[in-house]
Every structure is written in C-alpha cells, then in structure tokens.
Amino acid sequence: MKTLVLPAARADIVRQVGYFIEIGQEHIADRFLVAARIAIEHLSHTPQAGAPRPMKSPRLAGLRTWPIEGFDDMKIYYLVADDALTVVRILHGRRDIERILER
C-alpha cells in the first residue's frame, strides 16, 4: 500500500524528537523515531487495524488512530483510501485532537 506522511505529521515527529533531546533524553528520542517508523510500516500492511475516530469534518471521514508502541499516549491519525494510507498527524492523545485536526 502506498503510504504518504503529510508535512504536518513529519513536523509532529520532529517536534517530539526535539522535545526528548531538549530534556536530555536522546536515547528516548531515537527509540521514538524507530517506534514511529515501525508503527507506520505496520499500518501500511494492515490499514484497518486502527480504531475509527468519528470527526465532524467530512474531509476527515474515516479517520483512524493507532498508538506508537512504547509511547502509547502518542497516536498516529490517518486516513485510508483505495490503495493509499495518509498519515495526517502524530499527536499526544491528551491534546484537543478534534480542534487540531479540524484546522
């Protein structure tokens, strides 16, 4: 399955890695980066694995979520259409997800 990671999702990864480095946890930054890559790869093979997340916006219809192993509060928010998986964002689950994604 073709996988596209949107620029906002890439920025989310960079931001999270930067945060871990900033607090002196470089080894956790490395582990997060690897775990995010593995999770995205897993979803590209089993895109229906993630839990559906109802959204008000029609453009986000079918949005699904999947946790990043070892960082379970960090979720991948993605869409599946035909033969393509689009990673929309990678965010901490305690944030105001709907507000962020509706922008």
Side-chain angles (χ1 to χ4, degrees), residues 2-13:
K2 180 180 174 187
T3 303
L4 172 65
V5 180
L6 295 182
R10 289 182 188 280
D12 293 334
I13 293 169

Side-chain angles (χ1 to χ4, degrees), residues 53-63 98 101-103:
R53 182 177 176 104
M55 300 295 290
K56 292 176 186 171
S57 171
R59 70 182 178 81
L60 293 172
L63 187 76
E98 190 144 342
L101 293 176
E102 294 289 339
R103 287 193 262 163

Side-chain angles (χ1 to χ4, degrees), residues 41-57:
E41 180 69 20
H42 170 75
L43 290 172
S44 73
H45 296 291
T46 56
Q48 302 303 322
R53 182 177 176 104
M55 300 295 290
K56 292 176 186 171
S57 171

Side-chain angles (χ1 to χ4, degrees), residues 50-86:
R53 182 177 176 104
M55 300 295 290
K56 292 176 186 171
S57 171
R59 70 182 178 81
L60 293 172
L63 187 76
R64 292 181 168 274
T65 66
W66 185 256
I68 296 175
E69 189 173 337
F71 300 87
D72 293 339
D73 286 336
M74 295 298 295
K75 309 277 190 231
I76 299 173
Y77 296 87
Y78 68 98
L79 295 166
V80 179
D82 300 324
D83 64 343
L85 178 131
T86 302

Side-chain angles (χ1 to χ4, degrees), residues 12 16 71-77 89-97 100:
D12 293 334
Q16 190 63 42
F71 300 87
D72 293 339
D73 286 336
M74 295 298 295
K75 309 277 190 231
I76 299 173
Y77 296 87
R89 297 294 302 261
I90 298 177
L91 301 167
H92 193 284
R94 294 187 182 145
R95 295 184 65 189
D96 186 350
I97 302 302
I100 292 168

